[in-house]
Amino acid sequence: MADDKEREGPDITVAEFHKKIKDAFEVFDHEANNTVDVREIGTIIRSLGCCPSEGELHDLIAEVEEEEPTGYIRFEKFLPVMTEVLLERRYRPIPEDILLRAFEVLDPSKRGFLLKEELIKYMTEEGEPFSQEEMEEMLSAAIDPESNSVHYKDYIAMMVIDES
Amino acid sequence: MGSGTSTQHHFAFQNAEKAFKAAALIQRWYRRYMARLEMRRHCTWRIFQSIEYAGQQDQVKLHDFFSYLVDHFTPSSNHERDFLDRMFTEDRFPQDSEMEKFGDYESIEVPDNYTGPRLSFPLLPDHATALVEAFRLKQQLHARYVLNLLHETRKHLIQLPNINRVSTCYSEEITVCGDLHGQLDDLIFIFHKNGLPSPERAYVFNGDFVDRGKDSVEILMVLFAFMLVYPKEFHLNRGNHEDHLVNLRYGFTKEVMHKYKTHGKKILKILKDVFCWLPLATLVDEKVLILHGGVSDMTDLDLLAKLDRHKIVSTMRHKTRKENGKQVKKEEANQKSSAGRPTPWFLPQSRSLPASPLRLGSLQAHRAGRSSSIPCGAPRDAKELARQVRRSVDLELDRCRQQAGFPVSWGEEEASPCTPEADSGAQEPLEPTQEEWRQVVDILWSDPMAQEGCKANTVRGGGCYFGPNVTERLLQKYNLQFLIRSHECKPEGYEFCHSRKVLTIFSASNYYEVGSNRGAYVKLGPALTPYIVQYQANKVTHMLTMRQRISRVEESALRALREKLFAHSSDLLGEFKKHDADKTGLITLSDWAEAVESVLHLGLPWRMLRPQLVNSSTDNTLEYKSWLEDLAKEQLNRENIQSSLLETLYRNRSNLETIFRIIDSDHSGFISLDEFRHTWKLFSSHMNINITDDCICDLARSIDFNKDGHIDINEFLEAFRLVEQSCSEGNASDCPQTTNTNDNGCSKPGTH
């Protein structure tokens, strides 16, 4: 998490961020030439503690891409942009209670769960729709096979534990 | 009602908007969750790879150490000479009559109550199929049949060329499989899914059949059986693990001795020979070159086709010793100064050698002229260079000797003359030339890289990294279409690179851990278009979600990593202290990452891994001493064994085991206390480990539980493992007691 608060001052923080960003970037720099495939940028940004929407992500990519997109993002372009993002604490992650409320919006009768078909409908037709792969992966973990539904409160709790 | 409808619409619209937003929020959150999983998966992969390669480097260093001693150590007493003789003398290729003796299976009786598979020669397809089935049922092939099969295999291999040529005219499709590493399940799966070998179904297995997995023996039996049954359609390439020295470390030797207690030695001996008779490459339709590792900018297929591959017993050392013992050893020790002999290429990399400007200068200049892997080859002014090298090597030799407690003896080395061979330039008949050896090392050890060029493969310690231009040049030079190689584990079981001119194929699924990767094989038809089939030979993984799969593998990787961290506790403490000038006992997490990397040199993204390795402290600092203590607690109970000694042994565990197996040349499982002490002294002096002699004596004596002057290697290592296991479970009573009755530089075990 981008929580390296300024015990020692803003310069140190920037240096800290730089190292973090570098580490994350290098994980995907398979050719060791300071570039990553543009398709991995989302993963990198999200693992640095940010939670952008797809739209925000596309905007960010546009900022770090070359004028003539090559399919690769160079570290030199990525670093300053990402540092700004971290300094400004943009794209903060979603607190648990907000997430819960989102699920409750989709479950107006307050049953405490969503049926599999309902989840599929919302995730693939609303918002920034899931791909089929994304949907399948979510279902595999979220759906309780006996009731064919997702008890979202438990689901959220489980996912949160996983993170820590 | 009019206004009602519009209000309804309004609400409906609002609700729809809310739902839209809610969905978007959930998706956003979920995508971030998945991204973090993905990052963890990549990090885990990196951990496994770096540990694996670091292990390989150790292996290389270890054998460099032995080479070095073999080449330079002139024992000063008969006792040392005998000891080293036994330790380092490798049998030369046994003459045919000897080989007959070793392959002498006819005298071996198969008991009546043996229910395993029986073989008769010449083998029929049914035999091979029955063998697969028997192994699937977990039966073991009797040693007699093993030896018989190996004997026949050797006879067959001898007739094969270095580069096998196969054509898709005869069998319409060819299936190429990569590393199996003793994982029989994967082989059985491949035959099940793709079909058994037959005249219509050709197979090429691209090396690394053995080591690591638990069924290397069975894999070899099956592969050799099918090769004998379908000699025209079934082909094997040698991998870097088809090498008795590598096997000592990576488990194959252990597996053989464990499964064949009586005849294991014979089996290993003939296997050593069989391995060097394996072909080096396979060429399909003169267009697709299949070899285990890769190529270098110096790869010469004509040379490779012509050389005597049998001479290259192991790619770990350049040469092997002759059988004539002491006299020859002296001669060879002095042949270092002769032209055409290699300069010890490991010298610049070895930590323990002094930075002699004289030596480094000459080697560096030499290195600059070549782009490829190992910086040896005929030096311009061979004699002068060799003399320089020898001088500085002698200095180092003395240092080692002194540290090990052996007297310095200059006189003996200088006196002996060079052999005439040096001037004639002719090579001994039984040794490969430097060039030949290097050519083979390159094709068995190299890895592709994305950048152009060709550079030494420092990660593996042998072979090179070759770029797209190297591939392109080679393909053009020999009019080839593409290369198929193995040698590297890939998450999907395969990977294209160099604009699809190089295909890596890896057939051991779940190589690092259950769920870590898929295996794959590739099929080629007459059009030579590669068709890949992937699999994962473990039903369990299919049922797990990605999250669970990643967690399992990750946990395994982290455990391995924590072990490594523990093994370097003292160094880490030293490094941490450097960041803690004010002696507060605290360092920042950033310092932690730096310190850890500078000690372990694994090139891992430590900041990404930090949350898994360090309990987060809210104020971004770490109490490093207690962190190290927690690591230790996790690994073992410190009460019973002196911790720094144990830590050292722990770190060198696999090295120790390898050394033991080398010393125990008759594979009896026993070494004498003296041998143990001698070896440890030499080893620790070379590796810069500071353990006093008395500590070692005490340890050795305490290991010798029955006090007969011999250490049962297996018991020692088992006891060691038991210590980790039982102590981490809190069973203090199971820990062997190390009694340090004299305080000779060892601190007494602390009470906790």
Side-chain angles (χ1 to χ4, degrees), chain A residues 105-108 111 114-130 135, chain B residues 19-20 23-24 26-27:
Chain A
V105 163
L106 303 180
D107 175 28
R111 300 160 295 175
L114 287 175
L115 293 173
K116 180 173 166 186
E117 299 74 43
E118 290 169 344
L119 185 65
I120 294 177
K121 182 171 86 92
Y122 282 123
M123 293 293 105
T124 59
E125 292 176 22
E126 303 280 356
E128 292 174 319
F130 274 170
M135 193 66 249
Chain B
F20 185 92
I26 293 171
Q27 288 152 346

Side-chain angles (χ1 to χ4, degrees), chain A residues 24-25 27-30 35-47 57 61 71-73 78, chain B residues 35 38-39 41-42:
Chain A
F25 193 86
V27 174
F28 289 94
D29 180 14
H30 302 300
T35 64
V36 305
D37 192 317
V38 66
R39 292 166 290 185
E40 319 263 38
I41 285 289
T43 309
I44 297 174
I45 293 175
R46 285 173 170 132
S47 65
L57 189 60
I61 290 178
Y72 286 94
I73 306 295
F78 183 69
Chain B
E38 188 61 20
M39 177 60 91
R41 187 169 76 85
H42 272 81

Side-chain angles (χ1 to χ4, degrees), chain B residues 1 20 47 109 164 238 398 426 521 552 588 597 615:
Chain B
M1 285 293 162
F20 185 92
I47 295 176
E109 293 270 333
N164 264 322
R238 189 177 186 183
D398 268 330
Y521 55 86
R552 277 175 78 149
T588 66
E597 177 56 29
N615 292 330

Side-chain angles (χ1 to χ4, degrees), chain B residues 642 645-646 648-649 656 673-684 689-704 711 716 738 740 744 746:
Chain B
Q642 202 256 344
L645 173 62
L646 189 61
T648 308
L649 287 180
L656 269 181
L673 286 177
D674 264 350
E675 283 169 342
F676 175 72
R677 278 182 46 239
H678 270 294
T679 311
W680 182 261
K681 264 205 228 163
L682 291 171
F683 176 69
S684 61
I689 298 167
N690 288 325
I691 298 288
T692 68
D693 199 31
D694 291 308
C695 277
I696 290 301
C697 285
D698 287 341
L699 181 64
R701 258 181 259 124
S702 70
I703 292 164
D704 176 22
I711 298 177
F716 169 65
T738 304
N740 285 329
N744 285 328
C746 306

Side-chain angles (χ1 to χ4, degrees), chain B residues 719-739:
Chain B
F720 199 74
R721 271 188 276 273
L722 275 177
V723 166
E724 312 167 55
Q725 263 177 27
S726 61
C727 285
S728 62
E729 288 162 13
N731 261 339
S733 54
D734 287 348
C735 300
Q737 303 295 320
T738 304
T739 48

Side-chain angles (χ1 to χ4, degrees), chain B residues 489-658:
Chain B
C489 184
K490 298 289 176 192
E492 293 299 312
Y494 76 99
E495 190 174 273
F496 282 101
C497 65
H498 295 187
S499 311
R500 292 183 77 93
K501 298 280 176 65
V502 174
L503 168 62
T504 302
I505 195 86
F506 193 86
S507 301
S509 67
N510 305 324
Y511 179 58
Y512 290 126
E513 171 60 73
V514 172
S516 68
N517 65 290
R518 290 182 155 126
Y521 55 86
V522 57
K523 295 161 77 85
L524 299 172
L528 298 177
T529 318
Y531 172 70
I532 315 263
V533 177
Q534 297 169 287
Y535 55 87
Q536 209 154 7
N538 188 314
K539 291 203 260 295
V540 180
T541 51
H542 293 303
M543 300 187 305
L544 299 173
T545 63
M546 179 155 113
R547 181 184 123 253
Q548 289 166 317
R549 259 184 281 135
I550 292 178
S551 296
R552 277 175 78 149
V553 186
E554 187 185 35
E555 204 27 64
S556 182
L558 290 172
R559 218 178 310 131
L561 195 53
R562 279 193 285 262
E563 243 188 59
K564 264 215 171 299
L565 286 168
F566 163 71
H568 290 85
S569 299
S570 321
D571 288 338
L572 282 172
L573 185 62
E575 206 52 41
F576 289 152
K577 284 193 173 149
K578 286 191 202 157
H579 288 272
D580 180 23
D582 302 332
K583 299 212 206 309
T584 58
L586 300 169
I587 51 170
T588 66
L589 292 173
S590 176
D591 289 338
W592 172 85
E594 265 180 48
V596 170
E597 177 56 29
S598 75
V599 169
L600 289 198
H601 296 295
L602 286 176
L604 287 173
W606 293 106
R607 286 171 192 84
M608 292 272 98
L609 297 171
R610 203 230 339 117
Q612 325 276 47
L613 295 170
V614 176
N615 292 330
S616 48
S617 35
T618 45
D619 62 349
N620 198 37
T621 58
L622 172 67
E623 260 190 77
Y624 51 88
K625 278 209 184 111
S626 47
W627 179 72
L628 285 171
E629 275 167 17
D630 286 339
L631 267 185
K633 267 188 225 143
E634 199 190 322
Q635 300 294 327
L636 43 77
N637 182 338
R638 294 166 73 181
E639 274 186 70
N640 296 298
I641 299 182
Q642 202 256 344
S643 62
S644 75
L645 173 62
L646 189 61
E647 184 194 313
T648 308
L649 287 180
Y650 204 100
R651 184 179 350 177
N652 292 287
R653 209 164 32 148
S654 15
N655 285 342
L656 269 181
E657 192 173 335
T658 311

Side-chain angles (χ1 to χ4, degrees), chain A residues 81-125:
Chain A
V81 174
M82 197 62 219
T83 311
E84 271 305 298
V85 168
L86 291 182
L87 280 171
E88 292 172 13
R89 318 196 68 175
R90 253 189 270 167
Y91 317 128
R92 300 267 76 207
I94 301 159
E96 230 179 289
D97 53 337
I98 306 276
L99 190 57
L100 185 57
R101 267 198 270 157
F103 273 102
E104 285 171 348
V105 163
L106 303 180
D107 175 28
S109 36
K110 308 276 175 274
R111 300 160 295 175
F113 62 85
L114 287 175
L115 293 173
K116 180 173 166 186
E117 299 74 43
E118 290 169 344
L119 185 65
I120 294 177
K121 182 171 86 92
Y122 282 123
M123 293 293 105
T124 59
E125 292 176 22

